[in-house]
């Protein structure tokens, strides 16, 4: 654990050095701003009420998209696990959702919905296949380990799902949820940028881009990346606790 933390710190130092070297090589603040100027804006955003309002609304959109994806993804994964024809029926739908261009979906949603709703829908459509695939893989893994035992004792369907399969699939799913939520945050922000959503991180990025405020744009990007790391860290901690409970 300590060794992994050390290598993570070294990686951040390496990125910092690369940034400084690239800044002096480029020598143009309109292409790559300095590290100092960028982190001045990071500090200003941390004490800015405007930023936290935008952040709260972006986070809420991401959470709603994540919640919808988890409910539908796990629910349909259970149906696909219990009835194989459901898995075959959903396979083309999942493939389409995985491959459909996000840009095209956002543009269509902007015609049908509002700039505040479109990022939630597009993020849900991207996250749902990821949750579904993770849930199916976890259920198959549990079935491979305990399926014969369950069938030998003739455990009924409801009890089998609620008392065995769902509790045992929770730890591996929790491990995936951090990365999935982080991806959802990126998709939501991208949708907000394209939709020019009012009072959002994406809207602030779009405004910074329009006025060529590159330090602010990169500062917002850094804050989103740090938030993603924070969420993934919380989910990994929850995974370790749940894995210990499972053991």
């Amino acid at each position: 654990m300590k060794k992994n933390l050390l290598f993570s710190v070294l990686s951040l130092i390496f990125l910092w050095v690369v940034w400084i070297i690239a800044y002096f090589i480029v020598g143009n603040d309109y292409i790559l701003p300095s590290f100092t100027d960028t982190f001045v804006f990071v500090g200003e955003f941390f004490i800015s009420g405007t930023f936290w309002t935008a952040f709260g609304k972006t986070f809420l959109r991401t959470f709603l998209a994540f919640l919808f994806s988890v409910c539908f993804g796990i629910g349909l994964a259970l149906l696909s696990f219990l009835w194989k024809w459901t898995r075959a029926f959903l396979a083309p739908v999942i493939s389409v959702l995985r491959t459909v261009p996000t840009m095209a979906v956002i543009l269509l949603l902007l015609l049908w919905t509002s700039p505040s709703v479109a990022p939630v829908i597009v993020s849900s459509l991207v996250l749902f296949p990821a949750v579904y695939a993770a849930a199916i893989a976890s259920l198959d893994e549990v079935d491979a380990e305990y399926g014969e035992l369950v069938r030998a004792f003739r455990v009924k369907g409801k009890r089998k799902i609620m008392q065995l399969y769902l509790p045992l699939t929770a730890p591996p799913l929790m491990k995936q949820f951090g990365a999935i939520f982080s991806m959802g945050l990126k998709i939501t922000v991208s949708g907000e940028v394209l939709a020019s959503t009012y009072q959002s991180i994406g809207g602030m990025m779009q405004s910074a881009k329009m006025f060529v405020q590159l330090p602010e744009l990169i500062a917002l990007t850094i804050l989103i990346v740090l938030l993603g790391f924070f969420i993934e860290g919380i989910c990994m901690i929850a995974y370790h606790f749940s894995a210990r409970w499972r053991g």
Side-chain angles (χ1 to χ4, degrees):
M1 184 70 178
K2 291 181 179 180
K3 184 180 289 187
N4 291 337
L5 180 61
L6 174 62
F7 282 115
S8 297
V9 172
L10 290 175
S11 176
L12 292 175
I13 294 173
F14 171 75
L15 292 174
W16 172 60
V17 172
V18 169
W19 186 345
I20 293 175
I21 293 173
Y23 171 73
F24 283 107
I25 291 174
V26 173
N28 188 336
D29 288 338
Y30 287 101
I31 297 177
L32 182 65
S34 70
F35 177 85
T36 304
D37 290 343
T38 301
F39 272 83
V40 165
F41 280 105
V42 171
E44 290 181 358
F45 284 138
F46 260 109
I47 60 175
S48 169
T50 302
F51 168 78
W52 288 111
T53 300
F55 163 76
K57 293 188 176 183
T58 296
F59 186 86
L60 178 60
R61 292 187 186 96
T62 306
F63 179 76
L64 288 174
F66 177 76
L67 186 62
F68 293 151
S69 301
V70 167
C71 291
F72 284 104
I74 294 179
L76 290 176
L78 283 172
L79 292 177
S80 298
F81 177 73
L82 293 173
W83 295 289
K84 301 302 180 183
W85 64 266
T86 308
R87 184 181 300 198
F89 178 81
L90 289 174
V93 178
I94 300 298
S95 297
V96 168
L97 290 177
R98 282 176 178 164
T99 56
V100 67
T102 305
M103 178 79 72
V105 174
I106 293 176
L107 293 176
L108 287 172
L109 288 173
L110 286 175
L111 297 174
W112 301 333
T113 62
S114 65
S116 60
V117 174
V120 178
I121 298 176
V122 72
S123 185
S124 301
L125 293 175
V126 173
L127 296 186
F128 164 70
V131 175
Y132 176 84
I136 282 288
S138 299
L139 287 167
D140 287 342
E141 181 182 348
V142 173
D143 186 62
E145 189 172 353
Y146 298 99
E148 291 186 8
L149 185 64
V150 168
R151 287 185 283 272
F153 284 93
R154 297 181 180 178
V155 181
K156 293 184 178 180
K158 184 177 179 181
R159 185 182 178 189
K160 176 176 66 175
I161 294 298
M162 300 303 297
Q163 297 184 16
L164 180 66
Y165 283 91
L166 284 180
L168 290 178
T169 56
L173 281 178
M174 187 64 67
K175 188 177 182 180
Q176 297 289 331
F177 279 170
I180 292 173
F181 191 97
S182 181
M183 179 175 66
L185 181 62
K186 297 170 189 175
I187 298 297
T188 301
V189 171
S190 299
E192 291 172 344
V193 171
L194 292 173
S196 297
T197 307
Y198 178 65
Q199 287 188 332
S200 67
I201 298 297
M204 292 180 70
M205 286 183 168
Q206 179 70 357
S207 178
K209 172 182 171 292
M210 288 177 61
F211 293 101
V212 200
Q213 296 169 330
L214 202 56
E216 292 187 27
L217 182 60
I218 295 180
L220 288 168
T221 304
I222 290 172
L223 287 170
I224 291 299
V225 171
L226 291 176
L227 176 62
F229 284 151
F230 178 72
I231 293 170
E232 289 189 35
I234 290 177
C235 288
M236 284 301 296
I237 292 172
Y239 162 72
H240 285 300
F241 276 109
S242 60
R244 189 177 303 173
W245 165 81
R246 178 180 177 178

